[in-house]
Amino acid sequence: PEEPPAKGAEPCPSTSESLTNNSTDCPKVSQGITIPQLEDYHEEFDADIKNKLATLTISRESYSNALENREVYLKHPPVFSNKLEIDAPITDQKNSGRCWVFAGLNMLRQRMMKEYNLEELELSQPFVFFYDKLEKSNWFLENMLQTLDEDLDGRVMQFLLKDPINDGGRWDMFVALVEKYGVVPKEAYPETHHTSNSGQMNSLLATKLREYAKTMRSEHAKGKDIEEVRGLKGHMLKEIHRILSVSLGQPPKKLNWAFYNKDKKFHEFRDITPLQFYKDHVKQDCKNMVSLIHDPRNAYMKKYTVKYMGNVHGAEKVHYINLPMDQIKEYAANVIISGRPLWFGCDILKFESPSKGMVDPELFDYKAAFDFGFGMTKVERLQYGDTHMTHVMVLTGVHVEDGKTVRWRAENSYSDSYGNKGYLTITDRWFDEFAYQIVFEKGDLPKEVLDVLDQEAVVLPPWDLLGIL
């Protein structure tokens, strides 16, 4: 892992670049902001004519528009030496946090489109979403049963109660859902208002789940043991199911799948269950896949999990293998060159231009506007809470020059109005700093990496950044 930041002199200047270059002779500063101090700030600001120009420009525009570094995107056009054959229609998660579900299903459809010679195909994200909400509700209630004797004001309980249910997830959570419930085509279970705009329903579910938690703890305080309290769960889950069924509609138990292929030939499969559709038509063994992460805070070649994180009770736990980034990129490039997509997690909130469809650490010239840069390393950003995995996409291309990866192509789920017709160009240096997780088939990894799966997982606390959904 990268070394943690060195301990030493406290910084005193106001810009990250000068933090390491200036002397340690800092003027004394009072605890509060004084009026003379504020007047000095005003005078210094007004004395530099560049600040007036910056204000005239930036106060009217977003940073991403006003500070866009033209040289960066001209250097990295959306052209790739290796790109998947199929460009499936771009999907749209709308006002929801379902990116991990969209990415999982978008990855699965690639193989189906090739096998069935399809022009287009979209698998139902609402179908997976319905069961994820139901399973997460049960997961939360089981966590409440396991923590009945925890201090209500303690960190564990307050963490679990803060956000009982949200839209986010990880690869192993996706696998748990499709292996238990299957998948269906989008036309068999389409979007509703509350799949595309999940905030209101999430708020209702969270309120009910906290109410159930209160009931469980109250009954336990009266002397009921854990199994007696668990007996209350059936009615609670029935209410959750009712909320989901009213808001989203009940998922189909069976379906008919009819389509025309590229040759205009008609095909139909009738009266099949979602699990049959998954096993007979998707034909992707999701259980045979491994999550690799790059977390320089922690030791490499170790297996990690996060306490209390998951969705389906009894399914495989969420786990990761931590590896150096160069190693992960090598495996990823090989998979894409072989013609297969990859489920990919990153921090999309850093240095992203939605209009240009690009991410790069130097895409916005903050120094020109504010006269400062950024000084933290990846490990320091993680340690100080400045970054974590915020989004999942599908890697569909890589550009290689002289044997080195230069940029990557990602299929996003923000509609085809985003970026380059729905796609994002990721420069290699951004990848190093803000990519966190990629999922591989076991056959794509060497034995020494797969052997890490046999280790006992290091259990990180529930509030660790790897546990943020």
Side-chain angles (χ1 to χ4, degrees):
E2 296 177 32
E3 291 297 320
K7 296 178 181 178
E10 290 298 315
C12 54
S14 60
T15 73
S16 56
E17 289 185 354
S18 57
L19 291 179
T20 54
N21 297 331
N22 271 359
S23 71
T24 56
D25 297 330
C26 297
K28 289 185 177 180
V29 179
S30 63
Q31 288 183 321
I33 298 175
T34 66
I35 299 302
Q37 180 184 0
L38 195 57
E39 289 174 349
D40 286 343
Y41 293 164
H42 284 315
E43 288 179 12
E44 183 177 332
F45 183 87
D46 290 339
D48 191 340
I49 191 65
K50 289 189 299 183
N51 288 331
K52 184 174 183 179
L53 177 60
T55 302
L56 288 171
T57 303
I58 295 169
S59 61
R60 304 177 188 186
E61 278 276 17
S62 66
Y63 296 153
S64 59
N65 286 335
L67 304 181
E68 193 174 83
N69 189 338
R70 187 168 179 264
E71 292 180 1
V72 172
Y73 68 80
L74 288 178
K75 185 179 179 182
H76 294 282
V79 179
F80 303 86
S81 56
N82 302 274
K83 184 174 78 69
L84 300 192
E85 281 182 42
I86 296 173
D87 276 348
I90 294 296
T91 53
D92 188 359
Q93 67 186 76
K94 299 186 179 178
N95 297 316
S96 73
R98 298 174 291 163
C99 58
W100 60 291
V101 174
F102 274 71
L105 294 176
N106 287 346
M107 190 186 77
L108 294 184
R109 68 176 173 171
Q110 281 275 341
R111 179 175 297 192
M112 293 182 67
M113 292 180 70
K114 191 169 186 178
E115 178 171 345
Y116 290 103
N117 192 30
L118 299 177
E119 191 73 47
E120 58 183 39
L121 172 68
E122 187 169 357
L123 300 174
S124 175
Q125 307 88 9
F127 181 84
V128 179
F129 185 67
F130 181 102
Y131 288 113
D132 180 55
K133 292 299 181 189
L134 187 61
E135 290 285 358
K136 276 179 181 167
S137 297
N138 182 62
W139 186 270
F140 173 81
L141 294 175
E142 282 296 318
N143 281 341
M144 292 300 99
L145 288 169
Q146 299 304 319
T147 54
L148 287 172
D149 295 318
E150 287 277 349
D151 179 8
L152 182 59
D153 293 324
R155 188 174 186 182
V156 169
M157 286 305 301
Q158 289 304 303
F159 174 83
L160 293 174
L161 291 168
K162 182 180 179 181
D163 192 8
I165 191 166
N166 60 31
D167 290 351
R170 291 292 181 264
W171 171 255
D172 291 301
M173 296 165 68
F174 174 78
V175 175
L177 292 166
V178 298
E179 286 289 329
K180 183 172 181 177
Y181 296 105
V183 298
V184 301
K186 188 70 170 269
E187 57 267 25
Y189 193 67
E191 298 282 341
T192 72
H193 174 82
H194 294 286
T195 58
S196 300
N197 303 273
S198 58
Q200 196 172 37
M201 185 181 74
N202 284 343
S203 179
L204 174 60
L205 292 170
T207 294
K208 291 302 296 182
L209 289 171
R210 293 189 186 105
E211 181 182 293
Y212 299 153
K214 181 261 180 189
T215 299
M216 285 179 159
R217 292 176 70 88
S218 296
E219 292 301 308
H220 182 60
K222 294 175 184 176
K224 289 185 178 180
D225 64 26
I226 186 171
E227 290 304 323
E228 290 175 307
V229 176
R230 183 175 276 117
L232 303 170
K233 198 176 70 167
H235 175 72
M236 296 171 178
L237 289 173
K238 185 185 292 186
E239 287 191 340
I240 295 294
H241 183 272
R242 187 183 309 140
I243 292 171
L244 294 172
S245 296
V246 169
S247 303
L248 312 181
Q250 292 205 64
K253 295 179 181 179
K254 288 195 172 182
L255 63 118
N256 299 326
W257 184 37
F259 59 88
Y260 293 101
N261 65 15
K262 289 181 182 179
D263 300 323
K264 308 302 180 185
K265 291 183 179 179
F266 176 77
H267 295 267
E268 185 176 28
F269 300 91
R270 296 187 63 81
D271 203 31
I272 53 177
T273 67
L275 265 176
Q276 284 176 311
F277 183 83
Y278 171 61
K279 294 181 183 299
D280 296 344
H281 299 288
V282 176
K283 297 179 183 177
Q284 173 76 53
D285 185 3
C286 291
K287 301 191 303 302
N288 191 45
M289 304 186 80
V290 182
S291 289
L292 301 187
I293 59 166
H294 180 239
D295 178 4
R297 300 171 304 164
N298 293 306
Y300 295 134
M301 292 296 285
K302 295 287 184 182
K303 180 179 171 183
Y304 294 89
T305 189
V306 180
K307 194 170 184 179
Y308 298 123
M309 186 169 73
N311 57 351
V312 178
H313 219 69
E316 186 76 22
K317 286 185 177 180
V318 174
H319 60 264
Y320 315 101
I321 296 175
N322 194 25
L323 291 181
M325 180 55 78
D326 286 346
Q327 204 169 333
I328 295 175
K329 288 196 300 185
E330 178 186 348
Y331 302 149
N334 288 339
V335 170
I336 293 171
I337 291 169
S338 76
R340 288 172 290 135
L342 290 165
W343 192 95
F344 163 73
C346 63
D347 186 359
I348 193 66
L349 302 180
K350 298 296 185 182
F351 306 103
E352 175 210 16
S353 173
S355 62
K356 288 293 187 292
M358 172 174 278
V359 286
D360 180 85
E362 295 182 11
L363 188 55
F364 309 124
D365 194 346
Y366 287 100
K367 184 168 179 59
F370 302 108
D371 198 28
F372 62 64
F374 301 99
M376 286 196 289
T377 63
K378 187 171 187 176
V379 67
E380 291 164 345
R381 286 191 296 272
L382 285 163
Q383 289 171 330
Y384 286 87
D386 187 60
T387 185
H388 66 273
M389 191 168 125
T390 59
H391 191 50
V392 182
M393 298 175 284
V394 180
L395 289 177
T396 64
V398 62
H399 187 69
V400 180
E401 292 180 2
D402 299 323
K404 295 182 179 180
T405 54
V406 176
R407 57 182 174 269
W408 305 75
R409 182 182 192 246
E411 176 190 332
N412 210 339
S413 53
Y414 288 166
S415 87
D416 58 9
S417 64
Y418 170 90
N420 181 31
K421 298 180 181 178
Y423 289 89
L424 181 72
T425 299
I426 301 169
T427 64
D428 204 61
R429 58 187 176 184
W430 189 95
F431 202 105
D432 288 340
E433 297 297 325
F434 301 107
Y436 288 105
Q437 181 181 5
I438 303 182
V439 175
F440 295 86
E441 294 181 18
K442 288 182 179 179
D444 297 319
L445 303 174
K447 183 179 182 300
E448 60 266 24
V449 172
L450 295 178
D451 286 345
V452 177
L453 293 172
D454 297 327
Q455 296 179 8
E456 184 174 345
V458 177
V459 181
L460 300 172
W463 43 82
D464 188 88
L465 292 173
L466 285 181
I468 296 177
L469 299 179

